Amino acid sequence: MLQRAETVKEFDFTARDFERVRAMIYKRAGIALAESKQEMVYSRLARRLRATGTGSFVKYLDDLEAGRMGDEWEAFTNALTTNLTSFFREAHHFPLLAEHVKKLKGPITIWCSASSTGEEPYSIAMTLCEAFNTLTPPATIIATDIDTNVLATAAAGVYSIDRLDKMSDERSKRFFQRGKGEREGMVRVRQELRQMITFKQLNLLADGWPISGQFDAIFCRNVMIYFDKDTQRKILSRFVPLMKPDALLFAGHSENFLYVSDALKLRGKTVYELDARHGGVAKAAAAR
């Protein structure tokens, strides 16, 4: 009986190489790669070795750490970032957001801290339009992500029409324009929605964030699951001063911030608000 030969890999990728990658992406982006991700890491970074003409993982990682590869750190980070999203994902959040913004006075500001390819910030924008029954609600949205590739997709606002399969006809007709001719099968988010959103590159682990002021709502959904508890605690402590006293913080369905920060309390299903005992933090920041 013949045994199937093992697949011969193009590049050697040892356990030591994998541990180096884990340490580098953790230091760079706070992502804690599980031990089970070795094959995924090989597959994604092998593409970078081919693209850069590098013959081995050892040389690639050495050159990266020594700063000999120009902008490759960005490509390295992009390659290891997982971007899974859809329009109105975790749909229970959006009626609560609509209810929240209707109570607010003055310009509304919302931060989507992991915008990926744009479906989440555009869902927020659509919710605001519906809440105020206008394509130009009194609101601005800052949408950030560490991955520059997905930000470019998000800013363009162009998607395959099948991305709207689960969306109502009313929404799709109101907020999207269908392509014709060469653009058949594609849709583009209406200009009014695109103008509501400013897309920026932001690393949640960076010492400084290119944003200022306070927000009425912050979306940080399905991001913290990639971070360890210490990193989660650090990020949440930086969110708190950026939240207005009555702001909401939206988390992903598998994330629980109560065991990480005592400045927050649960408002609804995976939705948090500032605990009154710690509200002075936000109020003091607002007074500055």
Side-chain angles (χ1 to χ4, degrees), residues 115-153:
S115 68
S116 187
T117 45
E119 287 90 334
E120 182 169 289
Y122 287 127
S123 297
I124 295 169
M126 285 183 265
T127 299
L128 296 175
C129 290
E130 292 172 345
F132 292 97
N133 195 29
T134 175
L135 288 175
T136 55
T140 56
I141 301 167
I142 304 296
T144 63
D145 202 281
I146 191 173
D147 188 331
T148 52
N149 291 332
V150 298
L151 283 173
T153 299

CSV table of all heavy atoms in Angstrom, one decimal, residues 115-153:
chain,number,residue,atom,x,y,z
A,115,SER,N,-13.0,49.1,11.4
A,115,SER,CA,-14.0,49.2,10.3
A,115,SER,C,-13.9,48.2,9.3
A,115,SER,O,-14.8,48.0,8.5
A,115,SER,CB,-13.8,50.6,9.6
A,115,SER,OG,-12.6,50.7,9.0
A,116,SER,N,-12.7,47.5,9.2
A,116,SER,CA,-12.5,46.4,8.2
A,116,SER,C,-12.8,47.0,6.8
A,116,SER,O,-12.4,48.1,6.5
A,116,SER,CB,-13.3,45.2,8.5
A,116,SER,OG,-13.0,44.1,7.6
A,117,THR,N,-13.6,46.3,6.0
A,117,THR,CA,-13.9,46.8,4.6
A,117,THR,C,-15.0,47.7,4.5
A,117,THR,O,-15.5,48.0,3.4
A,117,THR,CB,-14.1,45.5,3.7
A,117,THR,OG1,-15.0,44.6,4.3
A,117,THR,CG2,-12.8,44.8,3.4
A,118,GLY,N,-15.5,48.2,5.7
A,118,GLY,CA,-16.5,49.3,5.6
A,118,GLY,C,-17.9,48.9,6.0
A,118,GLY,O,-18.8,49.8,6.2
A,119,GLU,N,-18.3,47.7,6.0
A,119,GLU,CA,-19.7,47.3,6.2
A,119,GLU,C,-20.2,47.8,7.5
A,119,GLU,O,-21.4,48.3,7.6
A,119,GLU,CB,-19.9,45.8,6.1
A,119,GLU,CG,-19.8,45.2,4.7
A,119,GLU,CD,-18.4,44.8,4.3
A,119,GLU,OE1,-17.4,45.4,4.9
A,119,GLU,OE2,-18.2,44.0,3.4
A,120,GLU,N,-19.4,47.8,8.6
A,120,GLU,CA,-19.8,48.2,9.9
A,120,GLU,C,-20.1,49.8,9.9
A,120,GLU,O,-21.2,50.2,10.3
A,120,GLU,CB,-18.9,47.8,11.0
A,120,GLU,CG,-19.3,48.2,12.4
A,120,GLU,CD,-18.5,47.6,13.5
A,120,GLU,OE1,-18.7,46.3,13.6
A,120,GLU,OE2,-17.7,48.3,14.1
A,121,PRO,N,-19.1,50.6,9.5
A,121,PRO,CA,-19.4,52.0,9.6
A,121,PRO,C,-20.6,52.5,8.7
A,121,PRO,O,-21.3,53.4,9.0
A,121,PRO,CB,-18.1,52.7,9.2
A,121,PRO,CG,-17.3,51.6,8.5
A,121,PRO,CD,-17.7,50.4,9.2
A,122,TYR,N,-20.7,51.8,7.5
A,122,TYR,CA,-21.8,52.1,6.6
A,122,TYR,C,-23.2,51.7,7.3
A,122,TYR,O,-24.2,52.4,7.1
A,122,TYR,CB,-21.6,51.5,5.3
A,122,TYR,CG,-20.6,52.2,4.4
A,122,TYR,CD1,-19.5,51.5,3.9
A,122,TYR,CD2,-20.6,53.6,4.2
A,122,TYR,CE1,-18.5,52.1,3.1
A,122,TYR,CE2,-19.6,54.2,3.5
A,122,TYR,CZ,-18.6,53.5,2.9
A,122,TYR,OH,-17.6,54.1,2.2
A,123,SER,N,-23.2,50.6,8.0
A,123,SER,CA,-24.4,50.2,8.7
A,123,SER,C,-24.7,51.2,9.8
A,123,SER,O,-25.9,51.5,10.0
A,123,SER,CB,-24.2,48.8,9.4
A,123,SER,OG,-23.9,47.8,8.4
A,124,ILE,N,-23.7,51.7,10.4
A,124,ILE,CA,-23.9,52.8,11.4
A,124,ILE,C,-24.5,54.0,10.7
A,124,ILE,O,-25.5,54.6,11.2
A,124,ILE,CB,-22.6,53.2,12.1
A,124,ILE,CG1,-22.1,52.0,13.0
A,124,ILE,CG2,-22.8,54.4,13.0
A,124,ILE,CD1,-20.7,52.2,13.5
A,125,ALA,N,-24.0,54.4,9.6
A,125,ALA,CA,-24.5,55.5,8.8
A,125,ALA,C,-25.9,55.4,8.4
A,125,ALA,O,-26.7,56.3,8.5
A,125,ALA,CB,-23.6,55.8,7.6
A,126,MET,N,-26.2,54.2,7.9
A,126,MET,CA,-27.6,53.9,7.5
A,126,MET,C,-28.6,54.0,8.7
A,126,MET,O,-29.7,54.5,8.6
A,126,MET,CB,-27.7,52.5,6.8
A,126,MET,CG,-27.1,52.5,5.4
A,126,MET,SD,-27.3,50.8,4.7
A,126,MET,CE,-25.8,50.1,5.0
A,127,THR,N,-28.1,53.5,9.8
A,127,THR,CA,-29.0,53.6,11.0
A,127,THR,C,-29.2,55.0,11.4
A,127,THR,O,-30.4,55.4,11.8
A,127,THR,CB,-28.3,52.8,12.2
A,127,THR,OG1,-28.1,51.5,11.8
A,127,THR,CG2,-29.1,52.9,13.5
A,128,LEU,N,-28.2,55.9,11.3
A,128,LEU,CA,-28.4,57.3,11.6
A,128,LEU,C,-29.4,57.9,10.7
A,128,LEU,O,-30.2,58.7,11.0
A,128,LEU,CB,-27.1,58.0,11.6
A,128,LEU,CG,-26.1,57.5,12.7
A,128,LEU,CD1,-24.7,58.2,12.5
A,128,LEU,CD2,-26.6,57.8,14.1
A,129,CYS,N,-29.2,57.6,9.4
A,129,CYS,CA,-30.1,58.2,8.4
A,129,CYS,C,-31.6,57.8,8.7
A,129,CYS,O,-32.5,58.6,8.5
A,129,CYS,CB,-29.7,57.7,7.0
A,129,CYS,SG,-28.2,58.4,6.4
A,130,GLU,N,-31.8,56.5,9.0
A,130,GLU,CA,-33.1,56.1,9.3
A,130,GLU,C,-33.7,56.7,10.6
A,130,GLU,O,-34.9,57.0,10.7
A,130,GLU,CB,-33.1,54.5,9.4
A,130,GLU,CG,-32.9,53.8,8.1
A,130,GLU,CD,-32.7,52.3,8.2
A,130,GLU,OE1,-32.5,51.8,9.3
A,130,GLU,OE2,-32.8,51.7,7.2
A,131,ALA,N,-32.8,56.9,11.6
A,131,ALA,CA,-33.3,57.4,12.9
A,131,ALA,C,-33.7,58.9,12.7
A,131,ALA,O,-34.7,59.3,13.3
A,131,ALA,CB,-32.1,57.4,13.9
A,132,PHE,N,-33.1,59.6,11.8
A,132,PHE,CA,-33.4,61.0,11.6
A,132,PHE,C,-34.2,61.3,10.3
A,132,PHE,O,-34.6,62.4,10.0
A,132,PHE,CB,-32.2,61.9,11.6
A,132,PHE,CG,-31.5,62.0,13.0
A,132,PHE,CD1,-30.4,61.1,13.3
A,132,PHE,CD2,-31.9,62.9,13.9
A,132,PHE,CE1,-29.8,61.2,14.5
A,132,PHE,CE2,-31.3,62.9,15.2
A,132,PHE,CZ,-30.3,62.1,15.5
A,133,ASN,N,-34.5,60.2,9.6
A,133,ASN,CA,-35.2,60.2,8.3
A,133,ASN,C,-34.7,61.2,7.4
A,133,ASN,O,-35.4,62.0,6.8
A,133,ASN,CB,-36.7,60.5,8.6
A,133,ASN,CG,-37.6,60.2,7.4
A,133,ASN,OD1,-37.3,59.4,6.6
A,133,ASN,ND2,-38.7,61.0,7.2
A,134,THR,N,-33.4,61.2,7.2
A,134,THR,CA,-32.7,62.0,6.2
A,134,THR,C,-31.3,61.4,5.8
A,134,THR,O,-30.7,60.7,6.6
A,134,THR,CB,-32.4,63.4,6.8
A,134,THR,OG1,-31.6,64.2,5.9
A,134,THR,CG2,-31.7,63.4,8.1
A,135,LEU,N,-30.9,61.7,4.6
A,135,LEU,CA,-29.6,61.2,4.2
A,135,LEU,C,-28.4,62.1,4.8
A,135,LEU,O,-27.3,61.8,4.6
A,135,LEU,CB,-29.5,61.2,2.7
A,135,LEU,CG,-30.3,60.1,2.0
A,135,LEU,CD1,-30.3,60.3,0.5
A,135,LEU,CD2,-29.9,58.7,2.4
A,136,THR,N,-28.8,63.2,5.4
A,136,THR,CA,-27.8,64.0,6.0
A,136,THR,C,-28.1,64.3,7.5
A,136,THR,O,-28.4,65.4,7.9
A,136,THR,CB,-27.7,65.4,5.2
A,136,THR,OG1,-29.0,66.0,5.2
A,136,THR,CG2,-27.2,65.2,3.8
A,137,PRO,N,-28.0,63.3,8.3
A,137,PRO,CA,-28.2,63.4,9.7
A,137,PRO,C,-27.1,64.3,10.4
A,137,PRO,O,-26.0,64.4,9.8
A,137,PRO,CB,-28.2,62.0,10.3
A,137,PRO,CG,-27.3,61.3,9.3
A,137,PRO,CD,-27.6,61.9,8.0
A,138,PRO,N,-27.4,64.8,11.6
A,138,PRO,CA,-26.4,65.7,12.2
A,138,PRO,C,-25.3,64.8,12.9
A,138,PRO,O,-25.2,64.8,14.1
A,138,PRO,CB,-27.2,66.4,13.2
A,138,PRO,CG,-28.3,65.5,13.6
A,138,PRO,CD,-28.6,64.8,12.3
A,139,ALA,N,-24.5,64.1,12.1
A,139,ALA,CA,-23.6,63.2,12.7
A,139,ALA,C,-22.3,63.0,11.8
A,139,ALA,O,-22.3,63.2,10.6
A,139,ALA,CB,-24.3,61.8,12.8
A,140,THR,N,-21.2,62.7,12.5
A,140,THR,CA,-20.0,62.3,11.8
A,140,THR,C,-19.5,61.0,12.4
A,140,THR,O,-19.7,60.7,13.6
A,140,THR,CB,-18.9,63.4,12.0
A,140,THR,OG1,-18.7,63.6,13.4
A,140,THR,CG2,-19.3,64.7,11.3
A,141,ILE,N,-18.9,60.2,11.6
A,141,ILE,CA,-18.4,58.9,12.0
A,141,ILE,C,-16.9,58.8,11.6
A,141,ILE,O,-16.5,59.1,10.5
A,141,ILE,CB,-19.1,57.8,11.2
A,141,ILE,CG1,-20.6,57.8,11.5
A,141,ILE,CG2,-18.5,56.4,11.6
A,141,ILE,CD1,-21.4,56.9,10.6
A,142,ILE,N,-16.1,58.5,12.6
A,142,ILE,CA,-14.6,58.2,12.4
A,142,ILE,C,-14.5,56.7,12.3
A,142,ILE,O,-15.0,55.9,13.2
A,142,ILE,CB,-13.8,58.7,13.5
A,142,ILE,CG1,-14.0,60.2,13.8
A,142,ILE,CG2,-12.3,58.4,13.2
A,142,ILE,CD1,-13.6,61.1,12.6
A,143,ALA,N,-14.0,56.2,11.2
A,143,ALA,CA,-13.8,54.7,11.1
A,143,ALA,C,-12.3,54.4,10.9
A,143,ALA,O,-11.7,54.9,10.0
A,143,ALA,CB,-14.6,54.3,9.8
A,144,THR,N,-11.8,53.6,11.8
A,144,THR,CA,-10.4,53.3,11.7
A,144,THR,C,-10.1,51.8,11.6
A,144,THR,O,-11.0,50.9,12.0
A,144,THR,CB,-9.7,53.8,13.0
A,144,THR,OG1,-10.2,53.1,14.2
A,144,THR,CG2,-9.9,55.3,13.1
A,145,ASP,N,-8.9,51.4,11.2
A,145,ASP,CA,-8.5,50.0,11.1
A,145,ASP,C,-7.0,50.0,11.0
A,145,ASP,O,-6.4,51.0,10.5
A,145,ASP,CB,-9.1,49.3,10.0
A,145,ASP,CG,-9.1,47.8,10.2
A,145,ASP,OD1,-8.1,47.1,10.0
A,145,ASP,OD2,-10.2,47.2,10.6
A,146,ILE,N,-6.3,49.0,11.5
A,146,ILE,CA,-4.9,48.8,11.3
A,146,ILE,C,-4.5,48.5,9.9
A,146,ILE,O,-3.4,48.8,9.5
A,146,ILE,CB,-4.4,47.8,12.3
A,146,ILE,CG1,-2.8,47.9,12.4
A,146,ILE,CG2,-4.8,46.4,12.0
A,146,ILE,CD1,-2.2,47.0,13.5
A,147,ASP,N,-5.4,47.8,9.2
A,147,ASP,CA,-5.1,47.3,7.9
A,147,ASP,C,-5.4,48.3,6.8
A,147,ASP,O,-6.6,48.7,6.5
A,147,ASP,CB,-6.0,46.0,7.6
A,147,ASP,CG,-5.6,45.3,6.4
A,147,ASP,OD1,-5.2,45.9,5.4
A,147,ASP,OD2,-5.9,44.0,6.4
A,148,THR,N,-4.4,48.8,6.1
A,148,THR,CA,-4.6,49.9,5.1
A,148,THR,C,-5.3,49.3,3.8
A,148,THR,O,-6.0,50.1,3.1
A,148,THR,CB,-3.2,50.5,4.7
A,148,THR,OG1,-2.3,49.4,4.3
A,148,THR,CG2,-2.7,51.2,5.9
A,149,ASN,N,-5.2,48.0,3.5
A,149,ASN,CA,-5.8,47.5,2.4
A,149,ASN,C,-7.3,47.5,2.5
A,149,ASN,O,-8.1,47.9,1.6
A,149,ASN,CB,-5.4,46.0,2.1
A,149,ASN,CG,-3.9,45.9,1.7
A,149,ASN,OD1,-3.4,46.9,1.1
A,149,ASN,ND2,-3.3,44.8,2.0
A,150,VAL,N,-7.8,47.1,3.7
A,150,VAL,CA,-9.3,47.1,3.9
A,150,VAL,C,-9.8,48.5,4.0
A,150,VAL,O,-11.0,48.8,3.6
A,150,VAL,CB,-9.7,46.3,5.1
A,150,VAL,CG1,-9.3,44.8,4.9
A,150,VAL,CG2,-9.1,46.8,6.4
A,151,LEU,N,-9.0,49.5,4.5
A,151,LEU,CA,-9.5,50.9,4.5
A,151,LEU,C,-9.7,51.4,3.1
A,151,LEU,O,-10.6,52.2,2.9
A,151,LEU,CB,-8.4,51.7,5.3
A,151,LEU,CG,-8.4,51.6,6.8
A,151,LEU,CD1,-7.2,52.3,7.4
A,151,LEU,CD2,-9.7,52.1,7.4
A,152,ALA,N,-8.8,51.0,2.2
A,152,ALA,CA,-9.0,51.5,0.8
A,152,ALA,C,-10.3,51.0,0.2
A,152,ALA,O,-11.1,51.7,-0.4
A,152,ALA,CB,-7.8,51.1,0.0
A,153,THR,N,-10.6,49.7,0.5
A,153,THR,CA,-11.9,49.2,0.1
A,153,THR,C,-13.1,49.9,0.7
A,153,THR,O,-14.1,50.2,0.1
A,153,THR,CB,-12.0,47.7,0.4
A,153,THR,OG1,-10.9,47.0,-0.3
A,153,THR,CG2,-13.3,47.1,0.0
